Amino acid sequence: MLVDAHLHLQDQRLDAIRPGLADVLKEKGIAHLVVNGTSMSDWAKVAACAHRFPEVIPSFGIHPWQIETHPKAWLEHLLDCLDTHGGAIGEIGLDRWRCRNNIDTQESVFLEQWNLANARKLPVTVHCLKAWGRLMALIEKNPHQGPGFLLHSYSGPKEMVEDWVALGARFSISGSFAHPRKEKKREVFNIIPRDRLLIETDAPDMALPESAQSCATPRDVDGKTINHPGNLDRVYAFAAQWLDISPLTLEKVVFANFIKMFRPVLHQSREKPGSNTCQPHQG
Ligand SMILES: [Zn+2]
């Protein structure tokens, strides 16, 4: 069974493929997918995905790219979402690559969500670009108390891996590492302990090279390929080849790692979307 540790099925670029997704999941043997919200405006859609597909684990959070647009009452809404739909915390994080000027706000919003995850002992999914030192300092000061946190599509320094492992991190490989320009970046996965490894599509982003995709979807308005969640099998195939392990071994190892981290939020009963304030934010 395959498991996708990180994607955004609620994204409107995937609206057209959602109706046929149940068949794809069955056909490809995809048992679980962690669908990550990015701002209050998409949490209701995340909840709707979890209600529609039993394979989906919802995850709610404010992404660093969305910090500026979050309304004041976000924390209350986040609590409502978790109380109504269960699920994990994410995608949260720090980004000094795309948003350089609001790192202090990013840190405080990250910490509030991180502390909530700790209080509830929930798994957390973390986005980090060019802010690895600051992220580590925050987590060292506020140790993770749940079943693990995921540094998704890990692009940090090799030298930090040992310390991240000691802090409870998991690391996921996405299809973007299959591009030849990422060859140096992907070397880090060879030193990551196997019991900390996960696989993700990050659909609709982080697509594999087109020649490696099994489920192509049309391009978006900017001409960028839209990554189909059904390409998960090809990310596994790429990872197995790169790590030089058999596909079956990788499948078993990743499945065990996934269950260990997401066990607290598997098989929760989820109320119908719309039954609380976890609604699309207007304006
Ligand atoms: Zn993401």
Side-chain angles (χ1 to χ4, degrees):
M1 297 296 256
L2 307 184
V3 283
D4 190 341
H6 183 90
L7 80 161
H8 304 279
L9 189 56
Q10 81 281 11
D11 192 298
Q12 62 169 15
R13 288 172 289 166
L14 296 177
D15 285 355
I17 70 105
R18 246 178 269 114
L21 189 67
D23 291 340
V24 176
L25 299 180
K26 227 175 252 155
E27 187 194 311
K28 304 250 176 180
I30 299 174
H32 303 291
L33 315 90
V34 185
V35 173
N36 281 248
T38 60
S39 77
M40 224 174 94
S41 62
D42 68 7
W43 294 344
K45 223 170 156 189
V46 169
C49 288
H51 197 257
R52 179 169 179 180
F53 303 101
E55 295 88 349
V56 165
I57 297 171
S59 188
F60 302 99
I62 294 181
H63 193 286
W65 296 354
Q66 309 294 339
I67 295 285
E68 298 300 344
T69 57
H70 74 278
K72 282 208 175 67
W74 68 269
L75 188 55
E76 248 171 73
H77 287 256
L78 182 54
L79 290 165
D80 272 344
C81 275
L82 292 170
D83 288 342
T84 310
H85 306 291
I89 299 281
E91 174 172 0
I92 67 172
L94 301 182
D95 192 320
R96 286 209 296 177
W97 172 67
R98 192 154 140 173
C99 339
R100 251 173 259 159
N101 304 322
N102 61 358
I103 193 72
D104 293 338
T105 316
Q106 286 189 41
E107 285 195 6
S108 70
V109 174
F110 171 84
L111 258 189
E112 279 186 275
Q113 298 178 92
W114 179 262
N115 292 338
L116 172 60
N118 270 349
R120 295 189 172 210
K121 307 218 178 318
L122 293 173
V124 190
T125 298
V126 178
H127 163 109
C128 185
L129 284 175
K130 308 254 182 222
W132 294 103
R134 293 187 78 144
L135 182 69
M136 186 171 271
L138 283 182
I139 294 180
E140 276 172 345
K141 256 193 242 155
N142 303 275
H144 178 62
Q145 285 161 31
F149 63 94
L150 173 63
L151 298 173
H152 101 86
S153 198
Y154 183 70
S155 63
K158 273 190 204 164
E159 297 70 31
M160 290 180 100
V161 166
E162 208 182 315
D163 290 340
W164 280 127
V165 168
L167 290 167
R170 273 74 178 153
F171 309 80
S172 48
I173 302 182
S174 68
S176 69
F177 289 100
H179 290 270
R181 65 174 190 278
K182 292 282 184 78
E183 201 164 337
K184 266 252 128 340
K185 283 273 176 198
R186 75 175 85 124
E187 283 174 6
V188 71
F189 291 105
N190 291 310
I191 59 159
I192 283 168
R194 292 277 153 87
D195 66 348
R196 296 301 180 93
L197 206 59
L198 289 166
I199 304 286
E200 63 164 282
T201 60
D202 202 17
D205 296 311
M206 302 247 191
L208 288 151
E210 264 178 73
S211 57
Q213 294 175 19
S214 56
C215 298
T217 47
R219 290 167 186 277
D220 66 14
V221 282
D222 304 320
K224 262 177 74 185
T225 318
I226 296 169
N227 188 13
H228 191 300
N231 286 314
L232 182 65
D233 56 346
R234 297 300 179 89
V235 185
Y236 268 79
F238 154 70
Q241 197 180 26
W242 175 252
L243 300 170
D244 199 21
I245 55 176
S246 83
L248 195 62
T249 305
L250 181 68
E251 198 177 312
K252 281 187 186 160
V253 166
V254 167
F255 191 80
N257 296 345
F258 183 97
I259 298 297
K260 203 169 169 195
M261 175 169 169
F262 290 102
R263 193 192 304 276
V265 290
L266 272 174
H267 313 303
Q268 291 171 311
S269 66
R270 312 200 191 281
E271 277 179 42
K272 245 192 159 113
S275 52
N276 77 336
T277 54
C278 181
Q279 289 293 311
H281 172 63
Q282 306 298 328

